[in-house]
């Protein structure tokens, strides 16, 4: 019972902080006479369409189901046929008062043929009553390794999934979004600027997404398209579960092939130090407070439906805390604290 109450209090506090930030964002936009974004709210006869990538689990799945139940026509990108069946079954069992629609599509975001097929399928469905109004780029690959011993494939696969897929999808769907005055919502991460050890590759991809989102927002502002960036901290998701499992079952880097590549020139003592650091971070991860998925879903919903969507959403108390401390004391402070904690844990 205390755990349930704590969970509810945690969610309500986080959402309260979010809503306060929305009010200040609206006040700023009104004071400086910012032009509001076009709003597409579903009705009984109007079911605007959105494409969400990575909907097999976690944030993507929760967002797809939430938007469909609100009356949107949701094209939900998944990689496997089994995920299609699971998603359809869960949606059919849910309450759908606004007659929204959920359409799973096979979409490997690194496959250009899949992207073209998704575009063709969406193009065939949309019209005056179903305009295409949003692209939500959620699919991601997480590779946690010290950068020195990460293979070239680790970098290539991570950037292809986390960065270039967003570029290709956005370029493909931007003409439709210009027609509707729609929005692009990119899922980033606090890792883009918080920069913890062994998260270098993932952090680099998310830093690239952060920069890309900002620049694309500026370049398309006068065209009526708005770009928002969602930067969650630790959120309940399959990616987080996979990461935790990888940390807790780690024995040596040889088990992390093909993404780990140690050459003959790499000193064995260096490998040992990296393994000690990895295990220390694994111990620290056991104490991480993970935020519920609905907090991220709520931020995405605001970015999709608000007349004045925020440019960047820090999702979760950990993300907000890191952002505030980083702004107040700078990255040197965060890096010092992180290194002290890892060093202390590794010596225990």
């Amino acid at each position: 019972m205390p755990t349930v109450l704590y969970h509810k209090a945690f969610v309500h506090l986080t959402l309260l902080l979010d809503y306060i930030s929305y009010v200040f964002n609206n006040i700023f936009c009104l004071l400086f006479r910012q032009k509001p974004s076009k709003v597409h709210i579903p009705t009984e006869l109007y079911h605007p369409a959105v494409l969400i990538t990575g909907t097999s689990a976690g944030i993507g799945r929760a967002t797809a189901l939430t938007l469909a139940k609100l009356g949107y026509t949701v094209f939900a990108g998944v990689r496997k046929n089994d995920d299609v069946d699971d998603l359809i079954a869960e949606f059919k069992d849910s309450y759908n008062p606004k007659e929204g629609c959920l359409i799973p599509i096979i979409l490997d975001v690194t496959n250009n043929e899949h992207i073209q097929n998704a575009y063709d399928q969406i193009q065939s469905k949309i019209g005056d009553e179903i305009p295409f109004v949003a692209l939500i780029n959620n699919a991601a690959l997480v590779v946690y390794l010290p950068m020195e011993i990460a293979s070239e494939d680790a970098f290539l696969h991570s950037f292809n999934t986390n960065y270039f897929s967003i570029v290709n999808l956005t370029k493909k769907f931007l003409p439709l979004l210009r027609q509707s005055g729609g929005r692009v919502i990119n899922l980033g991460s606090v890792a883009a600027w918080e920069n913890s050890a062994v998260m270098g590759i993932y952090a680099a991809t998310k830093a690239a997404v952060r920069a890309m989102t900002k620049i694309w927002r500026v370049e398309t502002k006068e065209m009526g398209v708005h770009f928002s960036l969602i930067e969650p901290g630790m959120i309940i998701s399959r990616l987080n579960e996979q990461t935790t499992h990888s940390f807790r079952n780690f024995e040596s880097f040889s088990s992390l092939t093909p993404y780990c590549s140690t050459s003959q020139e790499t000193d064995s003592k260096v490998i040992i130090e990296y393994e000690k650091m990895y295990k220390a971070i694994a111990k620290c991860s056991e104490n991480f407070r993970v935020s519920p998925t609905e907090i991220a879903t709520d931020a995405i919903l605001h970015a999709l439906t608000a007349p004045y969507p925020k440019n960047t959403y820090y999702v979760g108390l950990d993300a907000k805390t890191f952002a505030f401390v980083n702004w107040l004391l700078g990255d040197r402070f965060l890096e010092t604290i992180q290194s002290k904690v890892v060093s202390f844990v590794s010596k225990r």
Side-chain angles (χ1 to χ4, degrees):
M1 188 65 179
T3 303
V4 174
L5 291 175
Y6 177 84
H7 174 84
K8 289 184 178 179
F10 182 85
V11 171
H12 289 312
L13 175 59
T14 305
L15 292 177
L16 176 62
L17 293 175
D18 285 338
Y19 297 150
I20 291 173
S21 74
Y22 300 160
V23 170
F24 278 104
N25 179 69
N26 286 352
I27 291 172
F28 174 87
C29 291
L30 291 170
L31 283 176
F32 287 88
R33 298 182 178 179
Q34 300 285 297
K35 184 179 179 180
S37 296
K38 192 171 182 179
V39 177
H40 298 272
I41 302 297
T43 66
E44 291 182 0
L45 300 175
Y46 184 69
H47 301 280
V50 303
L51 169 61
I52 309 173
T53 65
T55 63
S56 300
I59 294 173
R61 187 186 188 94
T63 303
L65 292 168
T66 297
L67 295 184
K69 286 184 281 188
L70 288 174
Y72 287 91
T73 301
V74 177
F75 294 91
V78 296
R79 295 189 64 183
K80 303 175 183 177
N81 286 318
D82 289 344
D83 295 327
V84 171
D85 297 335
D86 291 343
L87 202 55
I88 291 175
E90 184 172 352
F91 180 62
K92 284 183 176 179
D93 291 339
S94 61
Y95 182 53
N96 183 21
K98 295 190 177 181
E99 299 183 353
C101 183
L102 190 145
I103 306 171
I105 53 177
I106 299 297
L107 177 57
D108 177 351
V109 295
T110 65
N111 187 317
N112 287 332
E113 288 186 9
H114 282 205
I115 292 175
Q116 183 62 50
N117 290 339
Y119 177 83
D120 292 341
Q121 188 171 345
I122 292 171
Q123 181 79 293
S124 69
K125 296 281 186 180
I126 60 176
D128 292 339
E129 294 179 359
I130 310 177
F132 183 74
V133 301
L135 169 63
I136 302 175
N137 290 302
N138 170 70
L141 171 67
V142 176
V143 176
Y144 285 167
L145 274 173
M147 296 184 73
E148 183 179 1
I149 61 173
S151 68
E152 184 176 350
D153 279 346
F155 287 89
L156 289 174
H157 292 175
S158 295
F159 270 92
N160 283 339
T161 303
N162 298 355
Y163 177 75
F164 287 110
S165 69
I166 295 179
V167 173
N168 293 333
L169 281 159
T170 304
K171 290 173 73 172
K172 175 61 70 174
F173 286 94
L174 202 49
L176 296 180
L177 294 172
R178 273 196 291 267
Q179 292 175 17
S180 65
R183 311 181 187 198
V184 178
I185 302 169
N186 292 331
L187 270 290
S189 171
V190 296
W193 43 267
E194 189 263 336
N195 300 337
S196 294
V198 311
M199 293 177 62
I201 301 174
Y202 180 69
T205 65
K206 292 304 184 180
V209 170
R210 189 174 221 257
M212 174 185 63
T213 304
K214 288 184 175 183
I215 299 303
W216 229 325
R217 180 170 56 247
V218 173
E219 292 178 346
T220 61
K221 183 177 182 180
E222 297 304 318
M223 303 177 191
V225 179
H226 189 274
F227 281 70
S228 287
L229 180 66
I230 310 292
E231 292 195 322
M234 296 293 289
I235 298 289
I236 296 173
S237 67
R238 187 162 69 182
L239 278 178
N240 183 55
E241 290 174 358
Q242 290 172 345
T243 301
T244 302
H245 181 269
S246 176
F247 274 142
R248 292 177 180 174
N249 292 278
F250 175 78
E251 293 182 0
S252 68
F253 289 123
S254 60
S255 64
L256 299 180
T257 55
Y259 291 139
C260 181
S261 176
T262 55
S263 64
Q264 293 180 346
E265 291 77 21
T266 308
D267 192 326
S268 60
K269 292 181 180 179
V270 172
I271 301 298
I272 292 172
E273 285 301 312
Y274 280 143
E275 288 180 346
K276 285 170 58 179
M277 179 181 66
Y278 200 94
K279 291 175 181 177
I281 294 172
K283 287 183 180 179
C284 293
S285 70
E286 296 176 2
N287 298 315
F288 289 163
R289 176 62 61 185
V290 183
S291 300
T293 308
E294 57 259 38
I295 293 176
T297 304
D298 188 80
I300 293 171
L301 183 60
H302 185 271
L304 176 63
T305 61
Y308 297 108
K310 292 179 66 176
N311 292 345
T312 303
Y313 294 77
Y314 299 115
V315 178
L317 286 178
D318 55 343
K320 292 175 175 58
T321 301
F322 280 134
F324 176 75
V325 172
N326 194 57
W327 168 79
L328 185 66
L329 300 174
D331 54 11
R332 181 180 292 273
F333 177 82
L334 282 177
E335 289 173 13
T336 300
I337 295 298
Q338 289 169 356
S339 63
K340 294 283 187 186
V341 170
V342 171
S343 177
F344 173 77
V345 172
S346 64
K347 293 176 181 178
R348 292 176 62 183

